[in-house]
């Protein structure tokens, strides 16, 4: 998987060849932690509508509970699961934001073309 936070033409030659995402950037660290938090909130435990979500790997759940964003070397399960969650939701990290275009009101006069001279139609 290539970096979801950059467009293809902004990637370096190495990033295009090897792929992957650098885990040292502060933005990526924050996005990684937010992806895990979002997954836990949406899919694990009580979901709020009377249903319960599941996670089938107790070691991953325990790793998530001890995860420290500033000291991540001990938490391999959190790192790998967080990157997998980010890969599944790569559309959330796309660099192109949606642009909302506002409509412009153009007041163009309308004319009545009868006879030799045109006259402005007043509304």
């Amino acid at each position: 998987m290539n970096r979801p936070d950059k467009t293809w033409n902004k990637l370096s030659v190495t990033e295009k060849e090897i792929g992957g995402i650098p885990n040292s950037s502060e933005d990526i660290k924050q996005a990684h932690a937010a992806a895990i938090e979002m997954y836990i909130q949406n899919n694990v435990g009580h979901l709020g509508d009377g249903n319960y979500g599941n996670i089938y790997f107790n070691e991953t759940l325990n790793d998530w509970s001890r995860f420290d964003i500033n000291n991540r070397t001990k938490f391999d399960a959190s790192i790998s699961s967080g990157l997998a969650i980010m890969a599944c939701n790569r559309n959330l990290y796309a660099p192109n934001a949606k642009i909302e275009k506002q409509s412009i009101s153009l007041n163009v006069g309308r004319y009545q073309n009868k006879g030799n001279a045109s006259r402005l139609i007043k509304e």
Side-chain angles (χ1 to χ4, degrees), residues 41-123:
Q41 201 149 33
N42 294 337
N43 300 303
V44 178
H46 189 261
L47 300 178
D49 58 355
N51 295 324
Y52 287 88
N54 294 321
I55 181 160
Y56 300 102
F57 305 104
N58 285 332
E59 291 179 20
T60 303
L61 191 59
N62 289 331
D63 203 58
W64 282 347
S65 68
R66 290 180 273 121
F67 182 63
D68 180 14
I69 194 170
N70 297 318
N71 185 11
R72 304 175 314 149
T73 56
K74 302 177 201 172
F75 305 104
D76 289 337
S78 294
I79 297 297
S80 60
S81 62
L83 290 174
I85 292 167
M86 288 176 73
C88 291
N89 298 312
R90 67 181 296 153
N91 59 325
L92 298 177
Y93 308 103
N96 299 334
K98 292 183 180 177
I99 299 173
E100 293 183 19
K101 295 183 180 179
Q102 296 178 349
S103 62
I104 298 173
S105 176
L106 295 176
N107 294 326
V108 178
R110 293 177 42 207
Y111 292 88
Q112 183 179 22
N113 295 321
K114 286 186 178 177
N116 292 334
S118 297
R119 280 187 284 167
L120 181 63
I121 300 173
K122 294 182 182 179
E123 294 181 52

